[in-house]
Every structure is written in structure tokens, then in C-alpha cells.
């Protein structure tokens, strides 16, 4: 495995290292066997790890494992009496392996190798002590051993700390301290080691342990000033120690905390040390005089303005207002010539306003404005902070409806902008001022402010919103519409929130919604509708769009209640696209619950239904609304009532399509008829579902659907029309009126199905005759139609079978007349006589004399039934 790892071409070391590591882990339980080959293998592995240490050839953890393997192999082949050279190799490998495991945050692994290193160091020290010759060399070597031992012991202390064994760490560190008298040059190393322990335990909130280690660090540094870390580091240690006492229990350890920070400031005075002292004094509840003395120290030490201002804020947070304002005044005097003085002045204004001293705050603001234009300009950062403060104050007054006061604060902010300056913040400021003017009913001033806002930032949706508000106030519908259109276009780009007015993601949509609300409050319905329409077009929030559509629908319906019949159609045309959009939104709504979707769909479904009922004189509108009502109903849970509604919608839509077809030109009828068929087919499916749920004995749906389907297919010249007629004839108790209608439809242009027409008429005639009291007028009409279909007028030739068929109809007519001569229409009798006589004359002209005689005789048989006309026609024929 070692040979594989040492190969130059190998790039994936991980698998080999893991196998070696696994093999070596079990060697500790075996007896030690001296083996030069094994020792050589250990040294080769160690050197390989050293060469791979440069760059990122192997990871830190892989490096630790290779060192672990090499060191374990070396100790495995340790002889019974190892030489000094072997022991030194063991010390080097064990100490470095332990250190590497510590760097990998694996102190448990490190402990074993650190113990081995200590044992080997003690063995070497014992060997050197037992020698008698070369005293100077022995002393030097023993010194090196002690130095190595100190390093290993400090690593053991570090391992103990990382495992939470503070007592063990203290014991190891005490041994190190005892060795410092002989190794003074390691004072700084040991002091910094204790400081690091103090930081680690402080981060773990172990204040007692942290205080111990920081004290140790400081004490070790004092043991030998020559080799100590230096006064800056010592001061840093003491400041952290003071912070530990402050956060641990300032009341119990206030003396220690103050002592530590005072010592730190004596070692090396610093701004952080002086500030820390003020913090401790404030936490301990020291008197104003004590704190004042600390503040004086800060000014004398020439700390930065930033630290002084942080101190002022700290004083304010601890309710030491008098001291804070007093100190701030001195700070302003002290830094009077500093270019950053404005920061102090802005803080002074902020603190005055926080404490409710608005009058003094305003005086200071006016002083700053004056100074700003007389050579004492604020830095950009200070000016930004002041603007934020002024706007915040104005915003609060605006929310409290103190519009004049809000305007004054906005005007203070405006004072810092130069005439003609161009920037978005100025546009925002002018918009805010315009809002104040509008509330104060100062329309002209509001318009001036918005004009400035447009100059600075014309492409802002908020600017257009302000333009809109003014247009509404002026009742300028055209201007308001232009602003709404502009807002709609600008809403397609990202909109940030402004002045806490809007905080949702869809700020543009909220603005349009607010625009509609403003218009309605000002009784400007047309403008409100434009705003809501723009919202529907541009918002990505489906719920918000549906709410807007509801508003639009209600507004249209409220207008319809007061409008004339002519205007009602106009309003219905406005309403239709709103309902179509609602259908689209509800159909594609992904965030709605089932209940919400049902509620929305049901609401708009009912609106579509009621709208359809108002379209009696407009079949195209009626069809569209009923279709929409059906489509919306598909988004609702199905029940018997809903299915009945769907059936009615589809029936009415089909009827409306057929009505449109009757009034349309032939060129556009196909589309209407195809649509009607679609509605009929869907209606059949709905009706089947309904019939499966119960009985409907008196329901005419079957008849109506068959009539509508017959008409549509007949006018489309669809051969399936014959099947439809068969279905009609199969109906239970089919009415004669239905068959007469079928007959009429079969011949209504562009339909032309004379055979189907005659079939329907013959069945109708048969049913009429079966009635207890036959309707002779309707019977005569059936016969009349059958004769006209079979024997059209104006023909020059007649086939024998046709004559025979028509003759049968005449015989039928005679039998009916004979049964009730007084009830049969006289005009119909005359028509039958005339038609038979003319047929006889036609046959005579064709030299068909027997047939001519037959038909003329048939005609004469009707003369006796003519009544008052009998004598006149008797003479003629």
C-alpha cells in the first residue's frame, strides 16, 4: 500500500490513505517488533506527507492521517533501548502529528500522540541527565528538550480546552509556567496562548474560565518584560478581561472591571479602552461626576468624532440625557473645524427630536440650513441621514393628519436641494409635498410640486399616480385616463416601495387599486373603471384581479339599473369581457383553495346567467352569456341543481345560435350551425347524467334537443338528419306539433329534405286522426302540404306513382270532410277542387284521357262540400 501511495503518477490518494489508516489502527494492540524495513517505510511516508504539504495536493485531514500512519509505524518497531536519534525522530513525529490533529479539530486523536511525545521527551531527558561527559553540550540539549516539552504541554492544554476539560488545561499550563524561568524567551508565546484560551472560553460564555485565562495571560506577560508580548497586546488582554467582568456580573465585579480597564489604559491608551470605561461606569450606575471625568479623558486623548458620537448615543440609551447633551455640545466645540462636524450636528437634531424637543430641533435644523449655504456644508452621509430623519418626521405627521406640520418638515428637506437639481429623491420629495398640498386643498401648489417631480423623474409610476390624483381633484377625466395608461405601462417594470406607502411585492397593482378607490370616493365611476381595467391587465396577483373584476361588474350593473334599453346593450357589451377574463383567471388560478375557486366561479356564473336573461332581443349576446355561465359552472362541484343549470345554459345557447342562423346570410350560417351542434352534443351528455340521477316525466329536453339537432343538421345538409327524425318518432307520446315543426324545418332553406318532410307529415296526420276530437284545420294543413310536396304547381309531366300517391291524399281529404262537413275549412275545399281539376286538365293536354277523366271527376266530388260557392263552381266545371 505504501508503494502504491508513493507512485508518482497516482492522483487519487484518498482510497489508499484510508486503507493504510485502517490497517495501522489495529497495530497498537500488537507487541513491538524492531524492523528496519518497517522503520524505513514510516520515514518514507512521513517525507511524502512533507512534500505534499505544499499547495493543495492533499487535504489537512489526509495529511493528519498519513502522519498518524507514519508515527504509529515508527513506534511499532521501537527497539527495547532506543538510541537518541530514534527518540528524536519519535518526538518530532509524535508532536507534529498531535499538532496536525489539533488543527483538524480532532483533539481525541491528538491526545494519544501528544502523550507519546511527552513520554519520548522524558526518556531523552533521562538519557541526557545520566551522561557525565560534555556538560555544556548536555545542558544545551536538555534546554532544547525542555523547550519542546513546553510546546507539547501547551498543545495538551489546548486539546483539553477544546474538550471542555479546563482543570486539565490549568495543570498543563502550570507546568509550562514553571518552565518559563528556564525558558524566558517563550513568555510571549505562552501569554498569547492563554489569551487565545480566554477568547475561546469567552465565546462559549464561560466567563469564570475566561477571566482566569486572561489574568494568566497578563500575569505571564509581566513575568519577563523583555520577552513579553508588548504593551498594546497587554492592554488588549486587559480590555477583554474588563469586558468579561462587565458581561459576567458588573455589580459584583465592578472594581475588577474598572481596575482592568484602567490598567489597560495605562499600558496603552486607546479609544476602545476609554469607551469601555464609560460603558462600565454606566453599567455600575456611577455618578455623573465619575462619568464626566471619563468623558474628559476621551477628549484629552483626542479620540475620533465617531467614538465621541457613539459615546453620546450610549449615554442617551442609559437615560443620561443631561450628560449626553452637555458632552455633545463640547464635542461640537472640540471638532468645530472638522469637515465631519455635520455628523455631530445631525445627531444633536436626532436626539432633540427623540426627546420631543421639536422647537429646539427646528432651530438647530434652520442653523444647519444656514451653515450649509455659508461654507459649512454637510458631508453626503450626514446629509442623507438628516433627510431620512426629516422625511420620517414628516411621514409621522402625515399619518397623524397634521398636513401643515408634515409639509414644514418636507420643506426643511427641500432647502438642501439646489434649484434645477435632478435626482429621483427630489422627485419623491416633491410628490410627498404634493400629497400634503392636496390634503390642504391647495391644488395649484400641488400641481407646481408635481411639475417639478415630472421634471426630475418622469418615468416613475408614483409621479404618474400623483398626476392622477390631481386630475381626479380637477375632475379632468382625460388627464386621469392618460395617467392611468402611463401607470399601466410603467407597472410592467419593477417598482420599489415608497415612503412606507406600499410594502407588498406588487406595488404597481396596489397603486392602481388605490387609484380606483380615489376615483370612486370622488364619484368618478368612468375613471375608476379605467384604473380597475388597467389593474386587471397588468397585475400578476390573480386574487387581486378577481376582486377588481367584481368591482367592475358591480359598477356596470349599477349603471344598467338606471339605463335605457339601448344603453343596456352597450353595458352588456362592456360586461362580457370582464366575465371572460374572470373565467380565464379562475381557470388558471393555482394558489386558490377549492372553496375559494368555487366561490369565485359561482359568483361570476350567476352574473353571466342573469345577464343572459336580459338579452331577449339579442341572441348573440344571450348565447355568449349562457356559454360563459356554463363554462364557469364547470369549475364548481357537480350536483343535481348545477347540472340542471348547465342543461338550461346549453339549450339556450343552442337556441340562440339557431336564431342567429335564421337571421344571417347563407355565407355565415355554417359557423352558427356548427356552434349550435357543439352545444347540443354537450347538452346531450349533461342530460344523460341528469337522467341517470332520477326521473323527469314532464321534461321536454329530449324533444327540444332533437328539434334543435334536426334543424342544425338539416341546414348543414348532414345525412344524419334522417337518424334524428327516427329518434323523434321513437319518443313516447310524440306531439303532432313537433312533427309539423320537423316537417317545416326539413324544407326551410337552405334545408331541402322533402321525403323526410312527407314522412313527418304523414305521421302527424295519422296522430291527428287518432285524437278523440280531431283538429280538422290542422289535418287539412297536413294534407295540403303533402299534396304540394308530391304535386308541385307548374309541372308539365306527372309520373303515375305520384298521381296514385296524391290521389290517396285526396281520398283522405274526402273522408275527413265527409265525417265533419261543417267544420272543414271551405277555402281548403276550394283549393283541393281547383288543384284536382287543374291536374285533370294537365293530363288531358298530355292525351292521358282516362286519367284526366278520373281527376276531373275527383274535382267534381268536392263541389257538394263548397257551401255558398257550390252553385257558381258547378256551372264552371
Amino acid at each position: 500500500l505504501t508503494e502504491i501511495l508513493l507512485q508518482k503518477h497516482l492522483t487519487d490518494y484518498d482510497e489508499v490513505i484510508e486503507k493504510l489508516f485502517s490497517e495501522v489502527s489495529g497495530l497498537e494492540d500488537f507487541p513491538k517488533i524492531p524492523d528496519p524495513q518497517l522503520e524505513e517505510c514510516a520515514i518514507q511516508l512521513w517525507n511524502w506527507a512533507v512534500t505534499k504539504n505544499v499547495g493543495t495536493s492533499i487535504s489537512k485531514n489526509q495529511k493528519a492521517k498519513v502522519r498518524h500512519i507514519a508515527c504509529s509505524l515508527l513506534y511499532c518497531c521501537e527497539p527495547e533501548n532506543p538510541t537518541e536519534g530514534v527518540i528524536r525522530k519519535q518526538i518530532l513525529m509524535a508532536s507534529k502529528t498531535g499538532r496536525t490533529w489539533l488543527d483538524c479539530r480532532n483533539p481525541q486523536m491528538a491526545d494519544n500522540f501528544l502523550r507519546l511525545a511527552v513520554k519520548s521527551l522524558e526518556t531523552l531527558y533521562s538519557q541526557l541527565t545520566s551522561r557525565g561527559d560534555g556538560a555544556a553540550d548536555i545542558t544545551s540539549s536538555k534546554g532544547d528538550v525542555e523547550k519542546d516539552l513546553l510546546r507539547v504541554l501547551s498543545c495538551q492544554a489546548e486539546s483539553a480546552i477544546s474538550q471542555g476539560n479546563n482543570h486539565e488545561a490549568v495543570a498543563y499550563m502550570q507546568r509550562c509556567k514553571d518552565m518559563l524561568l528556564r525558558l524566558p524567551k517563550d513568555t510571549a508565546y505562552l501569554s498569547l496562548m492563554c489569551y487565545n484560551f480566554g477568547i475561546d472560553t469567552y465565546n462559549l460564555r464561560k466567563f469564570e474560565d475566561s477571566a482566569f485565562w486572561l489574568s494568566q495571560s497578563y500575569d505571564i506577560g509581566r513575568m519577563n518584560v523583555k520577552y513579553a508580548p508588548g504593551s498594546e497586546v497587554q492592554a488588549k488582554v486587559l480590555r477583554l478581561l474588563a469586558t468579561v467582568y462587565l458581561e459576567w456580573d458588573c455589580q459584583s465585579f465592578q472594581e475588577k472591571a474598572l481596575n482592568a480597564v484602567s490598567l489597560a489604559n495605562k499600558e496603552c491608551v486607546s479609544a476602545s479602552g476609554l469607551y469601555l470605561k464609560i460603558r462600565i461606569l454606566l453599567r455600575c450606575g456611577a455618578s455623573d461626576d465619575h462619568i464626566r471625568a471619563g468623558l474628559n479623558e476621551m477628549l484629552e486623548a483626542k479620540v475620533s468624532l465617531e467614538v465621541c458620537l457613539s459615546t453620546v448615543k450610549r449615554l442617551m440609551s442609559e437615560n443620561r440625557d443631561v450628560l449626553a447633551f452637555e458632552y455633545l455640545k463640547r464635542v461640537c466645540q472640540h471638532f468645530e473645524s472638522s469637515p465631519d462636524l455635520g455628523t455631530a450636528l445631525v445627531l444633536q437634531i436626532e436626539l432633540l427630536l427623540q426627546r420631543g424637543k421639536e422647537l429646539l430641533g427646528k432651530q438647530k435644523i434652520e442653523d444647519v440650513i444656514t451653515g450649509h449655504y455659508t461654507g459649512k456644508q454637510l458631508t453626503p452621509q450626514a446629509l442623507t441621514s438628516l433627510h431620512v430623519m426629516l422625511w420620517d418626521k414628516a411621514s409621522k405627521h402625515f399619518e397623524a393628519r397634521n398636513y401643515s406640520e408634515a409639509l414644514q418638515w418636507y420643506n426643511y428637506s427641500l432647502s438642501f436641494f439646489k434649484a434645477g437639481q435632478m435626482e429621483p429623491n427630489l422627485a419623491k420629495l416633491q410628490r410627498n409635498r404634493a400629497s400634503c398640498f392636496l390634503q390642504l386643498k391647495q391644488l395649484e401648489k400641488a400641481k407646481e410640486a408635481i411639475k417639478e417631480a415630472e421634471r426630475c423623474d418622469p418615468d416613475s409610476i408614483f409621479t404618474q399616480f400623483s398626476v392622477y390624483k390631481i386630475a381626479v381633484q380637477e375632475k379632468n377625466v382625460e388627464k386621469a385616463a392618460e395617467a392611468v395608461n402611463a401607470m399601466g405601462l410603467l407597472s410592467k417594470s419593477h417598482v420599489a416601495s415608497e415612503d412606507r406607502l406600499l410594502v407588498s411585492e406588487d406595488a404597481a397593482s396596489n397603486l392602481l387599486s388605490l387609484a380606483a378607490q380615489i376615483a370612486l370616493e370622488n364619484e368618478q365611476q368612468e375613471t375608476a373603471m379605467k384604473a380597475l381595467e388597467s389593474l386587471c391587465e397588468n397585475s400578476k396577483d390573480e386574487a387581486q384581479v378577481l376582486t377588481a373584476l367584481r368591482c367592475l361588474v358591480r359598477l356596470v350593473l349599477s349603471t344598467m339599473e338606471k339605463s335605457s334599453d339601448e344603453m343596456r346593450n352597450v353595458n352588456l357589451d362592456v360586461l362580457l369581457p370582464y366575465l371572460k377574463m374572470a373565467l380565464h383567471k379562475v381557470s388558471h388560478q393555482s394558489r386558490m383553495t377549492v372553496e375559494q375557486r368555487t366561490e369565485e366561479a359561482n359568483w361570476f356564473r350567476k352574473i353571466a346567467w342573469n345577464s343572459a336573461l336580459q338579452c331577449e332581443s339579442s341572441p348573440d349576446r344571450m348565447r355568449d352569456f349562457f356559454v360563459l355561465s356554463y363554462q364557469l359552472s364547470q369549475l364548481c362541484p357537480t350536483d343535481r341543481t348545477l347540472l340542471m343549470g348547465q342543461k338550461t345554459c346549453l339549450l339556450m345557447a343552442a337556441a340562440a345560435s339557431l336564431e342567429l342562423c335564421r337571421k344571417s346570410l347563407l355565407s355565415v350560417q355554417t359557423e352558427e350551425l356548427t356552434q349550435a351542434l357543439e352545444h347540443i352534443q354537450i347538452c346531450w351528455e349533461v342530460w344523460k347524467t341528469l337522467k341517470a340521477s332520477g326521473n323527469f316525466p314532464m321534461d321536454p329536453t329530449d324533444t327540444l334537443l332533437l328539434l334543435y339537432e334536426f334543424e342544425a343538421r338539416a341546414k348543414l345538409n348532414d345525412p344524419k338528419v334522417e337518424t334524428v327524425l327516427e329518434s323523434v318518432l321513437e319518443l313516447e307520446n310524440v306531439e303532432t306539433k313537433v312533427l309539423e315543426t320537423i316537417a317545416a324545418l326539413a324544407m326551410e332553406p337552405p334545408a331541402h329534405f322533402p321525403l323526410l318532410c312527407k314522412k313527418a307529415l304523414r305521421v302527424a296526420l295519422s296522430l291527428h286522426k287518432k285524437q278523440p276530437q280531431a283538429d280538422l284545420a290542422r289535418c287539412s294543413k297536413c294534407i295540403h302540404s303533402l299534396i304540394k310536396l308530391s304535386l308541385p304547381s307548374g309541372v308539365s309531366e306527372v309520373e303515375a306513382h305520384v298521381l296514385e300517391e296524391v290521389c290517396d291524399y285526396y281520398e283522405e281529404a274526402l273522408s275527413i270532410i265527409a265525417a265533419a262537413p261543417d267544420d272543414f275549412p271551405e277555402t281548403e275545399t276550394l283549393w283541393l277542387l281547383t288543384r284536382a281539376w287543374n291536374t285533370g286538365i294537365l293530363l288531358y293536354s298530355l292525351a292521358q284521357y282516362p286519367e284526366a277523366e278520373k281527376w276531373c271527376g275527383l274535382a267534381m266530388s268536392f263541389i257538394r262540400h263548397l257551401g255558398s260557392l257550390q252553385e257558381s263552381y258547378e256551372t264552371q266545371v
Side-chain angles (χ1 to χ4, degrees):
L1 286 170
T2 304
E3 287 176 2
I4 293 170
L5 189 64
L6 298 177
Q7 288 174 6
K8 289 184 180 180
H9 66 271
L10 187 67
T11 54
D12 186 10
Y13 309 110
D14 193 54
E15 187 180 350
V16 181
I17 291 171
E18 286 301 323
K19 283 183 181 178
L20 278 167
F21 187 72
S22 176
E23 294 289 336
V24 167
S25 296
L27 289 177
E28 297 170 7
D29 301 329
F30 289 93
K32 296 180 179 180
I33 304 169
D35 186 339
Q37 191 176 355
L38 203 59
E39 183 180 350
E40 180 62 26
C41 185
I43 292 168
Q44 283 181 334
L45 282 170
W46 185 269
N47 291 336
W48 181 86
V50 171
T51 61
K52 295 296 177 185
N53 195 31
V54 180
T56 55
S57 297
I58 58 173
S59 67
K60 192 182 289 185
N61 205 53
Q62 287 174 326
K63 174 184 166 186
K65 286 181 178 180
V66 174
R67 286 188 165 183
H68 181 117
I69 296 160
C71 190
S72 297
L73 289 173
L74 187 69
Y75 272 96
C76 184
C77 60
E78 178 187 19
E80 189 174 344
N81 296 306
T83 62
E84 182 180 335
V86 171
I87 296 171
R88 287 190 182 279
K89 284 178 190 174
Q90 289 175 340
I91 293 166
L92 173 70
M93 287 190 183
S95 60
K96 285 190 176 291
T97 303
R99 179 69 258 174
T100 308
W101 276 124
L102 278 179
D103 293 339
C104 292
R105 300 183 186 279
N106 194 335
Q108 292 86 358
M109 282 287 194
D111 284 345
N112 183 47
F113 290 98
L114 293 172
R115 282 194 293 271
L116 288 172
V118 170
K119 184 180 176 183
S120 296
L121 282 164
E122 288 172 346
T123 302
L124 179 58
Y125 193 84
S126 177
Q127 280 189 11
L128 291 172
T129 304
S130 65
R131 287 185 196 170
D133 55 338
D137 291 340
I138 291 169
T139 303
S140 173
S141 295
K142 284 167 69 178
D144 290 340
V145 171
E146 285 191 327
K147 190 169 184 178
D148 288 342
L149 182 60
L150 183 139
R151 288 285 193 279
V152 174
L153 288 170
S154 68
C155 286
Q156 286 182 306
E158 183 181 341
S159 177
I161 285 288
S162 66
Q163 294 178 73
N165 301 324
N166 198 63
H167 291 297
E168 285 185 28
V170 171
Y172 288 131
M173 190 54 65
Q174 189 57 49
R175 286 186 66 184
C176 292
K177 278 180 73 178
D178 294 342
M179 297 168 69
L180 270 184
L181 293 172
R182 298 186 297 279
L183 301 167
K185 290 183 179 179
D186 283 319
T187 300
Y189 166 77
L190 215 56
S191 174
L192 290 173
M193 181 70 79
C194 290
Y195 175 62
N196 289 334
F197 293 169
I199 292 173
D200 291 341
T201 47
Y202 169 74
N203 289 333
L204 295 170
R205 317 311 285 168
K206 295 181 177 180
F207 295 120
E208 186 175 0
D209 293 346
S210 181
F212 170 79
W213 288 113
L214 293 169
S215 299
Q216 286 291 303
S217 176
Y218 178 65
D219 291 342
I220 290 170
R222 292 175 62 202
M223 286 174 66
N224 193 315
V225 179
K226 183 179 178 182
Y227 297 109
S231 58
E232 286 187 14
V233 177
Q234 289 288 76
K236 193 175 182 180
V237 172
L238 288 165
R239 284 197 298 274
L240 182 55
L241 178 59
T243 303
V244 169
Y245 286 131
L246 174 67
E247 295 182 18
W248 185 6
D249 187 349
C250 192
Q251 296 303 319
S252 301
F253 301 107
Q254 66 180 35
E255 290 301 323
K256 288 185 175 182
L258 284 170
N259 186 46
V261 77
S262 297
L263 279 172
N265 290 335
K266 282 182 183 177
E267 285 280 351
C268 182
V269 70
S270 68
S272 56
L274 294 169
Y275 181 71
L276 179 59
K277 183 176 180 180
I278 298 297
R279 279 183 63 199
I280 295 168
L281 288 169
L282 287 168
R283 183 71 68 84
C284 296
S287 66
D288 284 0
D289 289 338
H290 278 96
I291 296 170
R292 196 174 279 114
L295 295 171
N296 289 336
E297 284 183 57
M298 291 184 82
L299 286 177
E300 288 167 7
K302 297 181 179 179
V303 297
S304 68
L305 175 60
E306 186 180 355
V307 174
C308 290
L309 297 182
S310 296
T311 306
V312 171
K313 291 176 185 176
R314 173 67 64 174
L315 290 167
M316 291 295 289
S317 68
E318 298 289 342
N319 296 316
R320 300 292 183 107
D321 294 18
V322 175
L323 268 178
F325 282 112
E326 176 189 306
Y327 183 57
L328 183 54
K329 185 178 179 181
R330 291 183 61 197
V331 168
C332 289
Q333 292 169 350
H334 188 80
F335 290 94
E336 190 174 6
S337 59
S338 169
D340 295 322
L341 175 64
T343 308
L345 295 172
V346 170
L347 178 62
Q348 194 173 22
I349 293 166
E350 182 184 351
L351 297 177
L352 286 168
L353 295 179
Q354 279 180 6
R355 291 299 185 261
K357 299 177 180 179
E358 282 201 3
L359 192 58
L360 284 172
K362 286 179 178 179
Q363 289 175 0
K364 284 289 177 186
I365 291 166
E366 288 164 8
D367 291 343
V368 169
I369 291 169
T370 304
H372 190 69
Y373 290 101
T374 55
K376 295 181 180 178
Q377 287 192 338
L378 296 176
T379 61
Q381 188 177 357
L383 187 55
T384 299
S385 299
L386 182 56
H387 278 307
V388 170
M389 193 192 314
L390 294 171
W391 286 26
D392 183 65
K393 197 72 182 170
S395 176
K396 286 175 180 174
H397 279 295
F398 191 91
E399 288 171 10
R401 300 187 178 183
N402 299 325
Y403 304 117
S404 297
E405 195 69 22
L407 185 60
Q408 186 176 5
W409 290 100
Y410 282 131
N411 286 339
Y412 281 143
S413 179
L414 184 62
S415 301
F416 290 97
F417 288 96
K418 295 176 183 177
Q421 194 169 339
M422 294 278 289
E423 67 167 274
N425 279 333
L426 179 55
K428 188 186 291 188
L429 175 59
Q430 292 289 13
R431 289 194 293 269
N432 292 341
R433 291 180 70 243
S435 296
C436 294
F437 284 129
L438 283 174
Q439 294 294 339
L440 294 167
K441 308 297 181 186
Q442 298 178 19
L443 202 56
E444 289 304 316
K445 289 186 177 180
K447 288 168 73 174
E448 288 175 16
I450 287 305
K451 190 176 179 181
E452 278 296 301
E454 282 190 285
R455 182 184 63 80
C456 297
D457 191 9
D459 294 330
S460 164
I461 192 169
F462 293 103
T463 299
Q464 293 303 323
F465 179 64
S466 297
V467 171
Y468 171 84
K469 286 193 291 183
I470 291 171
V472 170
Q473 289 281 340
E474 292 184 315
K475 293 184 170 51
N476 189 335
V477 177
E478 188 178 342
K479 186 73 174 174
E482 287 176 6
V484 165
N485 291 336
M487 288 166 69
L489 290 171
L490 292 167
S491 69
K492 291 177 173 62
S493 56
H494 176 71
V495 181
S497 63
E498 169 155 310
D499 215 18
R500 293 189 292 179
L501 176 66
L502 300 158
V503 291
S504 72
E505 290 181 6
D506 201 355
S509 297
N510 286 336
L511 269 182
L512 288 165
S513 178
L514 189 57
Q517 184 182 331
I518 290 168
L520 289 174
E521 287 171 357
N522 286 271
E523 298 180 354
Q524 296 181 31
Q525 184 170 313
E526 184 183 344
T527 301
M529 289 179 70
K530 286 188 182 299
L532 289 169
E533 285 171 359
S534 183
L535 169 62
C536 293
E537 288 172 15
N538 297 292
S539 176
K540 295 176 183 177
D541 185 339
E542 288 92 345
Q544 190 179 44
V545 171
L546 288 170
T547 303
L549 286 169
R550 281 198 183 209
C551 292
L552 283 165
V553 168
R554 289 192 183 100
L555 290 171
V556 174
L557 293 177
S558 67
T559 305
M560 282 172 63
E561 290 172 5
K562 309 165 192 173
S563 61
S564 61
D565 290 345
E566 187 178 340
M567 284 306 297
R568 180 179 287 111
N569 286 339
V570 173
N571 286 318
L572 286 169
D573 290 341
V574 172
L575 186 61
L576 188 64
Y578 298 157
L579 295 177
K580 286 182 177 178
M581 186 181 287
L583 171 65
H584 176 77
K585 292 295 178 184
V586 177
S587 303
H588 296 84
Q589 172 60 264
S590 55
R591 299 177 188 173
M592 273 187 175
T593 62
V594 174
E595 292 78 12
Q596 287 171 330
R597 184 192 296 271
T598 301
E599 183 190 351
E600 292 290 350
N602 213 24
W603 192 88
F604 287 105
R605 177 184 71 84
K606 290 175 181 177
I607 297 295
W609 174 281
N610 292 330
S611 300
L613 297 179
Q614 297 186 52
C615 301
E616 291 179 12
S617 61
S618 179
D620 55 339
R621 294 187 181 90
M622 179 183 282
R623 176 199 58 199
D624 291 344
F625 280 115
F626 272 126
V627 169
L628 269 173
S629 184
Y630 165 71
Q631 289 170 331
L632 285 160
S633 72
Q634 290 181 294
L635 303 171
C636 302
T638 304
D639 57 24
R640 189 181 173 97
T641 305
L642 190 82
L643 286 170
M644 287 293 289
Q646 288 184 343
K647 182 203 74 170
T648 305
C649 285
L650 291 164
L651 269 175
M652 295 300 289
S657 294
L658 292 172
E659 179 66 21
L660 277 172
C661 170
R662 294 183 199 114
K663 296 178 179 179
S664 302
L665 297 171
L666 285 173
S667 57
V668 293
Q669 283 186 1
T670 303
E671 186 180 345
E672 299 293 349
L673 292 168
T674 306
Q675 275 192 14
L677 267 181
E678 287 175 7
H679 301 323
I680 291 163
Q681 294 308 314
I682 299 168
C683 194
W684 274 121
E685 296 301 319
V686 173
W687 180 229
K688 284 176 188 174
T689 307
L690 260 175
K691 285 199 289 187
S693 68
N695 292 323
F696 298 86
M698 303 300 291
D699 196 293
T701 302
D702 281 312
T703 303
L704 289 171
L705 282 172
L706 287 169
L707 276 173
Y708 294 161
E709 186 173 356
F710 184 90
E711 180 177 357
R713 292 194 186 281
K715 289 179 178 176
L716 285 169
N717 199 27
D718 187 339
K720 290 182 182 177
V721 69
E722 190 170 348
T723 310
V724 179
L725 176 57
E726 292 301 323
S727 299
V728 172
L729 296 176
E730 288 169 8
L731 288 174
E732 288 185 25
N733 303 318
V734 62
E735 294 181 11
T736 54
K737 189 175 181 181
V738 171
L739 292 167
E740 288 164 1
T741 305
I742 288 280
L745 292 172
M747 296 303 290
E748 187 177 283
H752 186 75
F753 291 91
L755 293 177
L756 296 182
C757 179
K758 286 198 287 184
K759 186 174 185 178
L761 288 170
R762 281 196 295 267
V763 177
L765 182 59
S766 173
L767 290 174
H768 276 307
K769 288 167 65 180
K770 288 177 183 178
Q771 296 295 322
Q773 187 71 37
D775 187 335
L776 296 183
R778 292 176 69 182
C779 285
S780 71
K781 282 185 180 179
C782 287
I783 293 171
H784 185 118
S785 298
L786 283 166
I787 293 170
K788 277 187 74 174
L789 282 167
S790 303
L791 194 63
S793 58
V795 295
S796 58
E797 190 175 341
V798 183
E799 294 179 10
H801 71 89
V802 173
L803 288 171
E804 188 178 342
E805 180 187 341
V806 175
C807 192
D808 290 341
Y809 298 146
Y810 269 92
E811 294 295 336
E812 190 82 43
L814 278 170
S815 66
I816 293 169
I817 294 170
D822 297 332
D823 295 333
F824 199 85
E826 191 174 283
T827 53
E828 194 62 32
T829 304
L830 180 59
W831 182 85
L832 288 167
L833 182 155
T834 306
R835 196 62 181 268
W837 183 264
N838 291 340
T839 303
I841 298 301
L842 173 65
L843 292 168
Y844 181 81
S845 66
L846 295 172
Q848 297 180 22
Y849 303 120
E851 287 297 322
E853 182 184 2
K854 178 182 175 182
W855 277 93
C856 287
L858 184 62
M860 292 181 71
S861 64
F862 282 94
I863 291 175
R864 66 178 179 273
H865 300 296
L866 280 177
S868 61
L869 299 173
Q870 181 179 345
E871 189 176 339
S872 171
Y873 276 87
E874 224 171 16
T875 306
Q876 289 181 41
V877 300

